[in-house]
């Protein structure tokens, strides 16, 4: 069951008035709460996984921007340029981007290919044949959406414009979902992109023994690669630089020790000799 819980701002965005009549996709909430798993107000509803989202609308640079956040994982997506009342286009864009992002991680980690992802796609459609739109909110999720909205507005201000098209919005999604978050339900900090991919694989595929741990390790490796690439881009020396410098220093010290008398080997190292291991530790802290 795919549930889009809408704040009042989002509910107003999806509602149109034509000939004095309201046209809206909103209906009675199909579950007992935003984060609940108990089905309500749906006749003969089968027991299926619930993919619940909170949708909010904000104004940025005099344009309406929709922000959707997955309740369980806090995975967020932003949408610019959707016409007021066009809930179908919103749904299509969200699903298209979600599928693309999950397929990217699956192929990056060599956990799925075109054929196996097609099976997951079909499973998703089978479990969520239609979206449900309803009006209600959640304070915890809303606080994270507010942070996403602030980050989005700040980035738009720095760049000077809103994202232009699907790909630029997806680029912001990629960045915002790599940031750590926390909730009362989870003991530790977490990354929304990592949690969403795990949720996706557990719900629409079959994870083998310890594959969840493997996925977390793969995400950790991917983040280190991205951090290294960013450091290179900014011209910041990484750990390899300090390791190389430390090796060169040790070689120089060893060569020096081979040339001095044994008595001098027992002397205390002077204070002005740089220990690159310590320098590296200070830099990291």
């Amino acid at each position: 069951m795919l549930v889009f819980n809408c704040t009042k701002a989002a509910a107003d965005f999806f509602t149109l008035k034509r000939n004095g009549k309201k046209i809206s996709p909103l209906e009675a909430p199909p579950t007992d709460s935003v984060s609940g798993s108990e089905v309500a107000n749906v006749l003969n509803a089968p027991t299926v996984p619930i993919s619940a989202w909170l949708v909010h609308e904000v104004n940025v640079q005099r344009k309406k921007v929709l922000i959707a956040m997955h309740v369980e994982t806090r995975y967020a997506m932003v949408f610019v340029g959707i016409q007021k009342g066009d809930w179908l286009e919103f749904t299509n864009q969200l699903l298209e981007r979600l599928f693309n992002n999950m397929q990217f991680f699956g192929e990056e980690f060599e956990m799925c290919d075109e054929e196996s992802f097609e099976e997951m796609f079909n499973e998703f459609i089978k479990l969520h044949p239609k979206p449900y739109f309803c009006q209600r909110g959640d304070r915890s999720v809303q606080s994270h959406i507010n942070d996403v909205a602030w980050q989005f507005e700040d980035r738009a201000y720095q760049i000077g414009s809103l994202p232009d098209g699907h790909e630029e919005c997806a680029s912001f999604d990629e960045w915002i979902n790599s940031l750590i978050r926390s909730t009362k339900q989870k003991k530790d900090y977490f990354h929304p992109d990592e949690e969403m991919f795990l949720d996706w694989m557990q719900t629409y595929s079959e994870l083998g023994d310890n594959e969840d741990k493997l996925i977390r390790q793969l995400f950790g490796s991917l983040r280190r690669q991205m951090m290294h690439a960013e450091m290179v881009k900014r011209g910041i020396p990484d750990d390899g630089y300090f390791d190389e410098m430390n090796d060169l220093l040790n070689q120089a010290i060893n060569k020096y020790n081979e040339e001095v008398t044994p008595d001098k080997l027992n002397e205390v190292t002077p204070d002005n000799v740089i220990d690159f291991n310590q320098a590296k530790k200070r830099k990291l802290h």
Side-chain angles (χ1 to χ4, degrees):
M1 182 179 290
L2 180 60
V3 183
F4 293 123
N5 302 279
C6 301
T7 64
K8 185 180 185 305
D12 291 343
F13 178 86
F14 289 125
T15 301
L16 293 175
K17 280 189 177 181
R18 289 179 181 169
N19 300 323
K21 294 183 179 180
K22 282 188 177 182
I23 300 176
S24 172
L26 299 176
E27 54 187 303
T31 55
D32 57 338
S33 66
V34 169
S35 58
S37 58
E38 294 295 326
V39 176
N41 301 315
V42 179
L43 295 176
N44 302 319
T47 303
V48 295
I50 296 173
S51 180
W53 299 72
L54 184 63
V55 186
H56 187 49
E57 181 263 324
V58 295
N59 290 308
V60 180
Q61 297 185 2
R62 294 183 293 182
K63 299 288 186 181
K64 294 189 180 298
V65 177
L66 291 173
I67 301 174
M69 179 170 284
H70 189 251
V71 174
E72 178 65 23
T73 65
R74 304 301 159 96
Y75 188 86
M77 287 187 274
V78 297
F79 303 88
V80 178
I82 295 178
Q83 296 297 313
K84 178 176 170 58
D86 198 346
W87 60 269
L88 183 59
E89 178 62 18
F90 161 76
T91 304
N92 288 338
Q93 284 196 26
L94 183 143
L95 294 182
E96 179 184 347
R97 201 183 304 172
L98 178 63
F99 294 156
N100 287 339
N101 293 346
M102 295 303 101
Q103 184 173 9
F104 166 78
F105 287 129
E107 293 179 349
E108 180 74 15
F109 300 151
E110 298 183 354
M111 302 194 75
C112 72
D113 53 21
E114 287 282 349
E115 183 178 350
S116 59
F117 190 82
E118 184 74 17
E119 294 176 358
M120 285 185 268
F121 172 83
N122 291 333
E123 183 68 11
F124 183 97
I125 299 301
K126 175 184 175 182
L127 295 175
H128 312 301
K130 62 160 285 188
Y132 290 85
F133 286 80
C134 59
Q135 182 178 340
R136 58 183 174 180
D138 181 277
R139 287 185 179 181
S140 176
V141 184
Q142 185 66 48
S143 67
H144 285 163
I145 283 184
N146 292 343
D147 176 68
V148 173
W150 184 89
Q151 298 280 5
F152 182 81
E153 186 170 7
D154 181 65
R155 176 162 287 198
Y157 173 79
Q158 292 183 21
I159 295 174
S161 64
L162 295 175
D164 183 17
H166 210 38
E167 291 186 3
E168 290 189 9
C169 284
S171 178
F172 175 81
D173 295 351
E174 179 183 351
W175 174 73
I176 200 69
N177 288 311
S178 69
L179 304 182
I180 59 172
R181 297 203 176 276
S182 65
T183 63
K184 291 181 179 179
Q185 292 75 26
K186 296 181 183 292
K187 294 188 300 182
D188 302 319
Y189 289 97
F190 61 90
H191 297 272
D193 53 4
E194 185 174 322
E195 296 304 308
M196 173 55 90
F197 184 68
L198 274 167
D199 181 79
W200 175 274
M201 294 297 291
Q202 289 167 348
T203 305
Y204 311 111
S205 182
E206 294 183 4
L207 285 180
D209 294 340
N210 297 320
E211 278 196 322
D212 56 337
K213 295 180 181 179
L214 173 61
I215 288 174
R216 294 197 184 281
Q217 292 173 352
L218 291 170
F219 265 101
S221 176
L222 181 61
R223 294 189 207 288
R224 287 191 292 273
Q225 292 174 26
M226 294 173 67
M227 184 180 296
H228 172 76
E230 184 64 22
M231 292 176 74
V232 170
K233 179 181 177 181
R234 294 173 178 266
I236 302 173
D238 61 6
D239 289 353
Y241 170 84
F242 287 99
D243 290 338
E244 181 180 355
M245 291 299 294
N246 200 37
D247 289 340
L248 291 174
L249 179 63
N250 287 333
Q251 290 175 22
I253 291 174
N254 290 336
K255 184 177 180 181
Y256 172 79
N257 288 338
E258 291 173 359
E259 297 174 353
V260 299
T261 61
D263 291 337
K264 288 189 177 182
L265 286 175
N266 296 324
E267 293 180 359
V268 177
T269 303
D271 292 338
N272 62 348
V273 174
I274 299 174
D275 185 336
F276 273 83
N277 280 324
Q278 291 298 322
K280 176 180 174 182
K281 290 179 181 178
R282 286 195 296 272
K283 176 179 181 295
L284 293 176
H285 294 294

